[in-house]
Amino acid sequence: EGAERDFGAGDGALVSVLGEGAAKSDLGGGAFSILRVLASPRHLIGSCERVWPRYYENAGRMVALATDPQDTVLRILDFPTMARMHCRMMEGWMISAMAQLGARVEAGGRETVCVTDGGPFHEFRCRWSS
């Protein structure tokens, strides 16, 4: 949140860009670069439950409820303290990660339910094509 407060407009756009850059680094030669060679977008989505704890400790869990390109749904459960700017960073990371694997996420891919707004979990939805 500090970067957004100090250098951004306060709307989460900067942290979303930071998330995009992190995905490019992770899949382009970083921690998960092997996924770029072996994984499809659907595989990456489906493996989120195994990938999440490699990034975060004591931060709930991520599950894929739907991996269909016409309706992809991911939830982060049991992480009530996840900050709004972290949500924006996750949006940027996920969209960029999909692009690294050859998918194009349609406009409107975003978090649709947020604990910060009183929701019971964080939910991210998108539509994409290869």
Side-chain angles (χ1 to χ4, degrees):
E1 288 188 32
E4 185 66 44
R5 180 189 62 242
D6 295 344
F7 304 109
D11 61 358
L14 176 63
V15 292
S16 181
V17 170
L18 294 173
E20 290 173 22
K24 288 177 184 174
S25 175
D26 292 348
L27 295 173
F32 299 103
S33 59
I34 191 69
L35 286 175
R36 192 168 181 179
V37 176
L38 299 176
S40 67
R42 190 175 279 204
H43 181 265
L44 176 65
I45 296 162
S47 67
C48 69
E49 198 158 357
R50 291 184 307 278
V51 171
W52 182 258
R54 293 183 182 189
Y55 275 93
Y56 301 105
E57 188 174 293
N58 300 317
R61 58 195 175 91
M62 181 183 276
V63 296
L65 298 180
T67 62
D68 185 75
Q70 294 305 308
D71 186 29
T72 295
V73 182
L74 296 173
R75 282 190 184 160
I76 298 173
L77 306 165
D78 307 320
F79 192 8
T81 59
M82 185 170 161
R84 183 177 305 279
M85 291 303 144
H86 190 171
C87 300
R88 299 297 74 78
M89 185 195 68
M90 290 306 305
E91 286 174 345
W93 192 97
M94 288 187 258
I95 290 168
S96 180
M98 295 286 285
Q100 296 299 307
L101 298 177
R104 185 185 67 79
V105 175
E106 294 179 14
R110 63 182 181 86
E111 183 181 38
T112 56
V113 178
C114 185
V115 171
T116 304
D117 296 328
F121 43 74
H122 302 271
E123 183 173 277
F124 299 83
R125 296 183 90 100
C126 75
R127 296 170 66 130
W128 56 276
S129 60
S130 295

